[in-house]
Amino acid sequence: MEQALAPTAEAPATGLRANILSPLETLAQSISTIAPTTTPTMTIPLVFVLAGNGTWLAYLFATAAILLVGLSISRFARYTSCSGSLYTYATSGLPPAISGIAGWALLLAYIATGASVAGGFINYANVFLISLLGKPAPTALLAILCVAVSTFIAYRDVQVSARLMLWIEATSVTFIAIVLALLLWHNGLHLDPAQIHLQGVTPSGVRLGVVLAIFSFVGFESATTLGAEAANPLRTIPRAVIQSAVFTGLLFVLCAYLETLGMHTAHQNLSESTAPMRVLATLASVNLLGPLIDLGALVSMFACTLACTTAAARVLMRMGHNGLVHNRLATAHHKNATPAAAVLVSGLLTALPVAVLALRGVPGTDIYGWMGSLAVYGFLTTYGLAAIALPIYLKRNHHLTSGSLLLSIATTLAMLLALAGTLYPVPERPYNWLPYVYLAYILCGMVWFAISTRNRSANLSAT
């Protein structure tokens, strides 16, 4: 008779405040890391450059791939919860040397995503400052301000952080939904033949569009980093992962289709628009909502920076527990019950690349694209390793089914195809250098793992 797999939740020995986050606040962590407001305002126009009238199809395929990942993650999350997210899932099924790669990859993914949206924050902040004051602020100063405030909130209280992120995203998405609904109302319910028949669309364009569309979803699994703090985590976290994937997937497919339709109606090119939602708000006769949506995108990028700092700190904390980084990062603040040292390090690592690039005169939109593309490598690596670890973990605990095995294979193949799409055809500079930067980073992590393992073995032998 098969032994049942016993669910296990992380013990409160981490020093984090247990059972403090409601299901809605746990969901807010994933939603805010996705930053759904940024996709209609910044990412969909970029996907349109590649996929054209097939942008909605690219997002449909991306949603399917992310749902495969979400189903794999939720299988883990039903049986174990911890602050280490996918890194701990990989640890439970893979050798330490391989699972260590997942830890370093996921840490980079959250840090780079935080840096990416901080770049987006710079861009939108200066748009508003120019319209209000007639001149922009120093971009490096805006980057440091965004990351510093996010770090302070994450340092102080995870519950305040989650509630703030929830209200920010809910308000922004509501404005976008109003514009899209009014757009349909004013223009009538009719299909766009150019999109339905994929006019001018090429398979390679859609494939490349899918890879970029996946960036819209990255971080949807970050609710798993709250395993020590969510109420009833073995039930709440799997639901949050699937709900965030389904909700944002439907939103992005709908936005991609309606934005393309609206820009066709307005006789404008979506790929050339710097503020597509303002155009659509004007088309829907609600001009006031255009600037409000742009403001929502600005605040959403701040919320995403906050969410990424929150998630990265908990991954760093788990890595400290496992000896991959200094054990000082594995401790929690005695009063705030947050991983204070890990939060400060995460905030510093997020601010550094944005500030350096901004000081070198790189625009916020380029920072968003460069750092976001780098983050995708980390997420794809971690998603793939977690999918490989799933059947090993379940078999070890006598709970493997054919369905779980097929899910693991399908998810792994989807991640490999997505990774291949980032490498071929070879992208233009500086994107063609990003795989080498990522590979060098992972190699450094592996060397560090080998050195720390040897030092621990030497210390054990000495005692």
Side-chain angles (χ1 to χ4, degrees):
M1 183 176 179
E2 288 190 344
Q3 177 186 353
L5 182 58
T8 57
E10 183 173 61
T14 56
L16 301 176
R17 193 174 296 135
N19 301 320
I20 190 175
L21 298 177
S22 68
L24 202 56
E25 291 167 339
T26 305
L27 176 63
Q29 170 64 30
S30 282
I31 294 295
S32 297
T33 310
I34 296 171
T37 310
T38 64
T39 289
T41 55
M42 291 191 72
T43 313
I44 286 177
L46 295 177
V47 176
F48 184 85
V49 173
L50 300 169
N53 288 316
T55 299
W56 67 273
L57 185 60
Y59 270 99
L60 187 63
F61 286 148
T63 301
I66 289 299
L67 277 175
L68 285 174
V69 177
L71 289 171
S72 297
I73 294 171
S74 67
R75 296 291 177 95
F76 270 117
R78 290 176 192 171
Y79 301 117
T80 179
S81 67
C82 58
S83 59
S85 181
L86 302 188
Y87 164 50
T88 303
Y89 297 162
T91 302
S92 64
L94 299 174
I98 304 300
S99 61
I101 294 175
W104 289 111
L106 189 60
L107 177 64
L108 173 71
Y110 286 135
I111 294 294
T113 300
S116 171
V117 291
F121 178 89
I122 291 172
N123 180 67
Y124 271 91
N126 272 332
V127 167
F128 277 96
L129 288 174
I130 290 172
S131 63
L132 292 175
L133 305 178
K135 60 180 181 179
T139 52
L141 178 62
L142 290 173
I144 293 171
L145 178 65
C146 174
V147 178
V149 175
S150 300
T151 303
F152 175 76
I153 296 174
Y155 181 93
R156 291 284 299 177
D157 190 338
V158 67
Q159 190 172 28
V160 171
S161 167
R163 289 175 177 174
L164 177 63
M165 292 185 294
L166 177 65
W167 286 108
I168 288 172
E169 290 299 338
T171 303
S172 302
V173 171
T174 299
F175 286 154
I176 290 175
I178 290 172
V179 169
L180 294 178
L182 290 176
L183 186 65
L184 279 177
W185 178 265
H186 279 271
N187 293 278
L189 294 173
H190 64 273
L191 296 177
D192 183 3
Q195 292 190 76
I196 297 301
H197 299 295
L198 302 177
Q199 183 178 329
V201 177
T202 63
S204 61
V206 173
R207 178 172 59 83
L208 293 173
V210 169
V211 176
L212 187 54
I214 287 176
F215 180 62
S216 294
F217 295 88
V218 294
F220 81 103
E221 80 300 324
S222 65
T224 59
T225 63
L226 304 177
E229 296 151 290
N232 193 10
L234 300 177
R235 184 184 181 92
T236 300
I237 290 176
R239 287 185 175 181
V241 170
I242 297 299
Q243 287 169 350
S244 61
V246 172
F247 168 74
T248 54
L250 292 175
L251 175 67
F252 294 159
V253 172
L254 185 63
C255 285
Y257 179 82
L258 292 178
E259 280 188 56
T260 305
L261 173 63
M263 297 302 275
H264 284 169
T265 305
H267 304 291
Q268 293 194 28
N269 191 332
L270 179 58
S271 63
E272 298 173 356
S273 177
T274 57
M277 293 309 299
R278 285 200 184 196
V279 175
L280 298 183
T282 302
L283 195 62
S285 302
V286 280
N287 301 45
L288 178 63
L289 287 186
L292 289 178
I293 290 172
D294 288 343
L295 178 61
L298 170 68
V299 182
S300 177
M301 289 169 192
F302 165 78
C304 183
T305 307
L306 171 58
C308 289
T309 304
T310 299
R314 280 146 183 81
V315 174
L316 202 54
M317 184 182 196
R318 175 56 58 176
M319 292 172 71
H321 279 296
N322 292 348
L324 284 182
V325 295
H326 196 281
N327 57 12
R328 177 69 180 86
L329 298 176
T331 60
H333 193 280
H334 68 281
K335 181 180 178 181
N336 297 338
T338 60
V343 167
L344 293 176
V345 171
S346 298
L348 178 62
L349 293 176
T350 301
L352 192 59
V354 190
V356 170
L357 290 171
L359 287 172
R360 291 180 63 87
V362 178
T365 50
D366 285 343
I367 296 174
Y368 178 85
W370 297 356
M371 298 305 297
S373 298
L374 183 61
V376 169
Y377 289 106
F379 280 115
L380 292 178
T381 300
T382 314
Y383 293 161
L385 290 176
I388 293 171
L390 176 62
I392 301 173
Y393 173 74
L394 294 177
K395 182 174 177 58
R396 187 176 296 161
N397 291 275
H398 310 287
H399 209 74
L400 179 63
T401 63
S402 57
S404 297
L405 183 59
L406 289 173
L407 176 62
S408 170
I409 294 171
T411 304
T412 304
L413 289 175
M415 294 304 100
L416 286 174
L417 288 172
L419 184 60
T422 67
L423 302 174
Y424 183 82
V426 177
E428 297 180 356
R429 296 180 63 183
Y431 293 94
N432 61 324
W433 288 102
L434 295 181
Y436 301 103
V437 172
Y438 177 69
L439 183 60
Y441 166 82
I442 292 297
L443 288 175
C444 288
M446 294 175 69
V447 170
W448 178 264
F449 173 81
I451 294 173
S452 59
T453 300
R454 186 178 61 184
N455 290 340
R456 284 197 301 271
S457 299
N459 292 335
L460 289 175
S461 300
T463 56

